Amino acid sequence: YGTPKLSGVFPKIGASLMWTPHLGVGADVTWRGSRTDYAGLLYRPTFYNFDAIWTPISTSRFEPELHAGVGGMRLGFSYKSTNCDPFGGCQTTDQAVENSSHFQWHLAAAARIYVTDHVFVRPGIDYHYVHNLFQFASNNVPEYSMSVGYSFGRGQ
């Protein structure tokens, strides 16, 4: 069995809190929306990180962001098991095999483009350096994203 590339669609949820107009903190979680094949097993990766945020400039419609932080990556492996009996029929269940956790460094660059005083779209690029990611061909994991968000307390 071959091992796959670490790719696909990954939902993301996060939040940030700006302490000053240019410095803040943030956290987010990114996971693969569905499990996929890994050498005969199913796997789902999850990334989480805690970042410092710097916004060098801020206008009424545009705000670039730079993130740097640490976090982790978790890989969950499982397989589907089907049990049949003549009276109850067949049932398919997920059987967990192993979980693997890794430390990661996180860098990101994004831009909040405000369509109203509070609602924004946010294209971004993230870079995860996952220590000892021996399950895949590289420790480097790029992430490209497009988000929609809401800022509280802005424009007042």
Side-chain angles (χ1 to χ4, degrees):
Y1 291 103
T3 56
K5 290 185 176 181
L6 188 57
S7 62
V9 176
F10 286 70
K12 182 180 212 171
I13 188 165
S16 58
L17 176 64
M18 300 305 289
W19 296 106
T20 73
H22 299 287
L23 294 174
V25 294
D28 58 57
V29 176
T30 306
W31 66 96
R32 185 177 174 90
S34 62
R35 292 176 301 166
T36 191
D37 183 59
Y38 182 98
L41 295 173
L42 297 172
Y43 82 100
R44 177 175 288 155
T46 304
F47 296 89
Y48 58 92
N49 49 273
F50 306 94
D51 296 327
I53 303 171
W54 179 52
T55 57
I57 61 170
S58 181
T59 70
S60 63
R61 296 286 175 218
F62 179 74
E63 194 170 82
E65 301 175 0
L66 298 172
H67 295 237
V70 297
M73 177 197 190
R74 179 186 173 275
L75 286 167
F77 294 94
S78 63
Y79 67 92
K80 291 204 176 282
S81 173
T82 303
N83 296 319
C84 297
D85 70 58
F87 301 107
C90 296
Q91 293 181 336
T92 301
T93 58
D94 289 333
Q95 300 293 319
V97 176
E98 178 182 324
N99 292 319
S100 178
S101 297
H102 303 275
F103 176 80
Q104 70 152 331
W105 293 98
H106 178 251
L107 297 172
R112 290 183 183 202
I113 303 165
Y114 284 88
V115 294
T116 71
D117 285 344
H118 300 279
V119 176
F120 60 87
V121 294
R122 183 184 178 271
I125 183 167
D126 293 59
Y127 169 73
H128 305 270
Y129 178 82
V130 183
H131 180 69
N132 196 28
L133 188 57
F134 61 89
Q135 293 93 344
F136 294 92
S138 176
N139 292 331
N140 303 300
V141 182
E143 175 187 329
Y144 310 99
S145 63
M146 178 61 75
S147 308
V148 176
Y150 187 88
S151 289
F152 296 96
R154 186 174 160 84
Q156 296 175 351

